[in-house]
Amino acid sequence: MPGASLHIGNQVVIEKQDFGKLFDMLAGMGYRIVGPTVRNGAIVYDELTSVDELPVAWTDEQEKSVYRLKEHKEKAYFDYGPGPQSWKRFLHPPVARLWQATREDGGFQTGTGDGETPKLAFIGVRPCDLHAMAIQDKVLADGERQDSSYSLRRRNAFVVAVNCRKAGGTCFCASMGTGPRATVGFDLALTEVIEGERHYFVVEVGTEKGAEILSRIPHRRAGEQEIAAARDSVEQAARQMGRELNTSGIKELLYQNLEHPRWDAIAERCLTCGNCTMVCPTCFCTTVEDYTDLTGKHAERRRKWDSCFTTDFSYIHGGSVRPSAKSRYRQWLTHKLGSWIDQFGTSGCVGCGRCITFCPAGIDITEEVRAIRSEKQAEKKVTAAETERPPETSAYQPHLS
C-alpha cells in the first residue's frame, strides 16, 4: 500500500490487480486516457475507459510490408511492437482548424483553433516514441517558431512509458540509442513482468507529478529480484532486435552520395504513397487549405499533414522541384538521417521500424543505407589497393648497344 514518499528514480511494484487503479486515478484528475487497443485487425491508440480495453494476450508479427496480429499464450498487456499509429496524432493532429469566420448581420464573427485543448494521459508509450516526442519538441515547441497548440497539448500530457520486453521484426532502436529501455521523457515507466502465475509491473518514477500520482496507488518498494527480472526482460528485447542501422558518419555518407545509383534502384519500387511519412513518429510537414460552405457564410482555414512524397509539396511557380520518385525518396531519407542533424541537432529517425513494416513496396531504410555504405567501402578498398600496388614493369627490355 502507499507508504513513504516517492522520489524521481525510485522503483516500485504494482500488482496486476491494482494496475486498473492507475486508470481510475488519472480519470479522476480530469485526464482523457489514451492507450493501445485492438481495432480492425491492428493495435492502435485510442481513448480508453478501462484497463480491460488494452490488447491483453495479443501480439504482432512485423516484417517488410507485413503486419498481422496473433493471440499470445501469455496474458500480457503490452507484448507488441510499434503499430500503424504514433502518438503525434494526439499532439500534432492530422487536421487542425487554424481560423474560422462566419458572416452575421452584415459583418463577420471570427475565431481561432479547435476549442479547448484536451488534457491527455498516454498509457504505453514506447522508448522510441518518447525520443520521437523529444524530437518534435525541438521542432514545434523549443525552436524560434513555436506551435502554440502543440506546446499546450505537450505541457498538459501525462506520459506512462512501457519498456519493451519484445522487439518487433523491423525494430532497430538499439542501434539508434533510443530503446528498448526508457531513460527520459516520462512521468512513470512500466516494465511488465510475468513469472508463471505471477503478473506485476516494476514502475520507475520519472517526475514529481508521476511520484504524486503513484503515491495514491497501492504499491510497494521493488526488491532486487524484481528489478533484475525487469532488467533482464528489456535486455532480452535488445538481443531480439530485427534490424540494425550503422549511424557512423551517416550524414556525410548521404551528402556525398546524392547521385548514387542506389537511388534509381529505390525509385523503381517506390510508389511515392507517403506511407512512411504518415506512420513516422517524427515527420511534421503540413499544408494549409481554405474551405467555405455553399452559402458563402462560413469559411475556415485548416492545417493538414502533408508529405514530401507528394508532387504539390515542392510545387513552386512553374512546377514541382522534385517531380521524380528518386528525388522525393532521396529527399526524405537524406533529411531524416542527414540534414535533420544540421537543423535540429539530432537524427530524425528513432528506429521504430514503422516505415519498413508499412511500406507496400517493402523498402527498408536500413538496407538502403547499408547498400550505399557497402559500395562506398568497396570503392575505397579498390582505391587503396591501387595506391599501394607497386608500379608494373614492362616485359619488353630494350636492346642496349
Side-chain angles (χ1 to χ4, degrees):
M1 293 296 291
S5 60
L6 296 172
H7 304 283
I8 294 173
N10 287 163
Q11 296 187 68
V12 304
V13 168
I14 297 179
E15 299 293 341
K16 174 190 173 184
Q17 62 268 23
D18 294 320
F19 184 53
K21 293 181 173 61
L22 175 61
F23 281 59
D24 299 337
M25 181 62 62
L26 291 169
M29 297 177 69
Y31 286 99
R32 286 169 48 187
I33 299 173
V34 178
T37 191
V38 176
R39 296 273 193 279
N40 301 319
I43 294 176
V44 299
Y45 301 131
D46 206 346
E47 192 164 346
L48 307 179
T49 58
S50 166
V51 70
D52 296 329
E53 295 178 85
L54 293 171
V56 182
W58 286 100
T59 188
D60 55 24
E61 292 180 355
Q62 297 192 43
E63 255 304 331
K64 291 191 294 186
S65 304
V66 174
Y67 178 90
R68 64 171 63 92
L69 294 186
K70 67 175 185 179
E71 293 187 54
H72 199 290
K73 61 181 179 180
E74 291 187 323
K75 302 298 182 182
Y77 289 111
F78 301 103
D79 222 6
Y80 55 87
Q85 295 176 336
S86 68
W87 300 93
K88 76 177 181 182
R89 68 186 294 261
F90 301 100
L91 297 172
H92 182 54
V95 180
R97 186 172 61 203
L98 303 177
W99 175 88
Q100 62 177 328
T102 303
R103 189 193 303 271
E104 292 180 358
D105 301 325
F108 287 96
Q109 294 292 328
T110 62
T112 59
D114 285 316
E116 185 178 352
T117 301
K119 186 179 176 183
L120 301 175
F122 298 146
I123 307 292
V125 182
R126 297 293 180 182
C128 59
D129 283 334
L130 288 176
H131 282 268
M133 288 180 182
I135 290 172
Q136 289 220 319
D137 288 348
K138 281 179 174 287
V139 177
L140 301 173
D142 301 333
E144 295 181 8
R145 301 290 184 269
Q146 295 185 7
D147 184 317
S148 58
S149 174
Y150 175 90
S151 298
L152 183 57
R153 287 169 178 263
R154 189 72 170 92
R155 287 197 303 270
N156 287 342
F158 185 86
V159 178
V160 180
V162 170
N163 292 319
C164 300
R165 66 184 215 134
K166 170 187 176 294
T170 57
C171 293
F172 56 101
C173 66
S175 61
M176 301 302 294
T178 58
R181 179 179 176 271
T183 55
V184 293
F186 57 84
D187 294 293
L188 297 173
L190 314 175
T191 305
E192 189 171 16
V193 181
I194 299 178
E195 297 174 329
E197 297 298 319
R198 191 180 175 208
H199 189 170
Y200 61 94
F201 297 88
V202 175
V203 187
E204 180 181 352
V205 179
T207 64
E208 294 296 340
K209 187 193 302 183
E212 177 189 355
I213 291 177
L214 186 59
S215 67
R216 306 179 189 181
I217 300 169
H219 68 270
R220 59 177 176 75
R221 296 285 182 179
E224 291 185 6
Q225 290 186 339
E226 292 161 329
I227 293 174
R231 182 178 62 247
D232 290 345
S233 67
V234 176
E235 291 175 353
Q236 179 180 349
R239 292 191 295 268
Q240 294 173 343
M241 207 64 54
R243 295 288 193 283
E244 182 179 359
L245 181 63
N246 181 0
T247 60
S248 176
I250 193 168
K251 180 181 72 171
E252 293 74 19
L253 175 73
L254 295 174
Y255 284 179
Q256 294 166 10
N257 287 278
L258 297 179
E259 298 303 327
H260 195 283
R262 188 71 183 187
W263 301 119
D264 294 298
I266 298 171
E268 292 179 358
R269 293 181 289 152
C270 181
L271 305 176
T272 65
C273 63
N275 265 20
C276 50
T277 59
M278 295 297 103
V279 298
C280 178
T282 66
C283 280
F284 59 88
C285 292
T286 58
T287 187
V288 173
E289 296 179 353
D290 292 327
Y291 299 82
T292 185
D293 64 5
L294 293 176
T295 67
K297 292 184 177 180
H298 184 79
E300 292 186 358
R301 173 163 290 178
R302 301 174 192 167
R303 183 185 65 198
K304 299 174 64 176
W305 283 358
D306 202 353
S307 170
C308 54
F309 281 92
T310 65
T311 54
D312 285 346
F313 185 78
S314 66
Y315 182 87
I316 58 176
H317 180 68
S320 175
V321 173
R322 291 185 285 272
S324 67
K326 170 185 174 180
S327 61
R328 280 176 257 163
Y329 188 89
R330 181 178 59 194
Q331 155 65 22
W332 175 73
L333 189 146
T334 303
H335 184 213
K336 186 67 59 178
L337 300 177
S339 53
W340 202 301
I341 298 172
D342 287 333
Q343 285 181 282
F344 308 114
T346 181
S347 172
C349 176
V350 295
C352 67
R354 290 181 175 97
C355 63
I356 304 171
T357 299
F358 297 103
C359 173
I363 299 174
D364 183 336
I365 188 174
T366 65
E367 286 183 4
E368 304 312 325
V369 173
R370 185 164 55 250
I372 294 174
R373 188 184 295 279
S374 61
E375 289 182 25
K376 293 303 294 182
Q377 289 174 341
E379 290 175 8
K380 287 182 180 179
K381 288 181 180 179
V382 171
T383 303
E386 290 176 346
T387 303
E388 296 171 2
R389 184 184 302 160
E392 294 184 2
T393 57
S394 174
Y396 170 72
Q397 298 294 329
H399 176 69
L400 300 177
S401 57

